[in-house]
Amino acid sequence: MALLSVLTPVLAVVLCLVIGFMLVRSRETETTSTPPGKTEGAKKADFRPWVDQDLQDDTEITAKEEEDGDWADSHEEEDLLHVPYSPPRYPEETMLQRSKDLYTLMNQRRSVRFISPEPVPREVIDNVIRTAPSGAHTEPWTFVVVSDPDTKHQIRQIVEEEEEVNYRQRMGDKWVNDLAKLKTNWIKDYLDVAPYLVLVFKQTYGILPNDKKRTHYYNEISVSISCGILLAALQNVGLVTVTSTPLNCGPQLRILLKRPANEKLLMLLPVGYPASDATVPDLKRKPLDDIMVHI
């Protein structure tokens, strides 16, 4: 009994130390696995295995990023000259007709996966790409136009390898089933066949002639808008494409095409004339009242 009375306080101390150690380890694990300001539940909800982990919306430059590089201050850049701007103004009847004509043209646009190998004039592609607008003309993008057959085939191999994993593992049964009616899969013949592949890279920051980094505010929004204008410009000249977002292919394609680390792949567009036997799903637009509200 005497021995037990001596050991009891010792055992209590040891037990307290073990419990304290376990609590500290638990908190450390929470700190490292859950970002500040987020709960564990939010962390799980944010995890989406089908999202390209290389392509994050990083339009805001964090304090850490500013410390990591030599960033240019706004006062280091030249002052902007403001010039008069007088776009054409049309009579109301002309405005109405032009709006109808553009709607008719764009209403005919479809995603086409059957593309002809027939050559397309390079100058047409050049003009289509330079159409895109951007905030403050920062043009935070690089359009990589690929016509070399070997490079196109390497791109296809990379995309199909990742897409097969997407379909079989990452996307989940519901997404795969939802795509079944569109008859799509991981086989991308058009990446070999189309005369051009246009890969749109967003620049998370720019690099000035003096090698300083330039902040590209809202770069993802600007590049996304440019892609929409690009689709309209292709439709305007009678060419077709399919908006392809090759998930988890960005790093491999960036290395293949020798693009710098500040560029992230946003979209891949096969471009050409439609094949003579091309077909598209018979989809209908929503009524205007379903997508617009007047207040």
Side-chain angles (χ1 to χ4, degrees), residues 13-148:
V13 170
V14 171
L15 183 60
C16 290
L17 289 174
V18 170
I19 294 174
F21 176 76
M22 292 175 65
L23 288 173
V24 170
R25 292 288 296 175
S26 174
R27 289 179 180 176
E28 286 179 353
T29 302
E30 274 188 18
T31 304
T32 56
S33 62
T34 307
K38 290 191 175 183
T39 64
E40 182 65 22
K43 175 177 176 287
K44 289 181 179 178
D46 289 343
F47 177 69
R48 294 173 294 169
W50 58 85
V51 173
D52 191 335
Q53 299 303 312
D54 181 59
L55 185 58
Q56 301 297 328
D57 189 352
D58 44 13
T59 54
E60 295 182 3
I61 304 300
T62 64
K64 184 179 185 306
E65 286 176 322
E66 289 179 346
E67 294 171 0
D68 287 345
D70 192 7
W71 292 86
D73 293 328
S74 58
H75 64 77
E76 296 181 48
E77 301 183 38
E78 296 181 5
D79 290 335
L80 288 175
L81 176 66
H82 284 231
V83 296
Y85 176 63
S86 300
R89 179 165 178 168
Y90 305 105
E92 290 188 6
E93 296 80 4
T94 304
M95 292 173 61
L96 180 59
Q97 187 58 50
R98 287 172 68 92
S99 68
K100 289 181 178 179
D101 292 343
L102 181 60
Y103 171 74
T104 299
L105 174 68
M106 294 309 302
N107 194 39
Q108 296 169 352
R109 201 211 74 80
R110 301 300 301 272
S111 291
V112 178
R113 294 173 173 82
F114 304 98
I115 299 178
S116 169
E118 182 181 356
V120 173
R122 168 66 186 275
E123 189 175 1
V124 171
I125 302 300
D126 293 347
N127 289 335
V128 163
I129 287 177
R130 63 159 55 108
T131 304
S134 62
H137 269 14
T138 52
E139 297 180 304
W141 52 58
T142 301
F143 293 89
V144 179
V145 180
V146 179
S147 56
D148 174 67

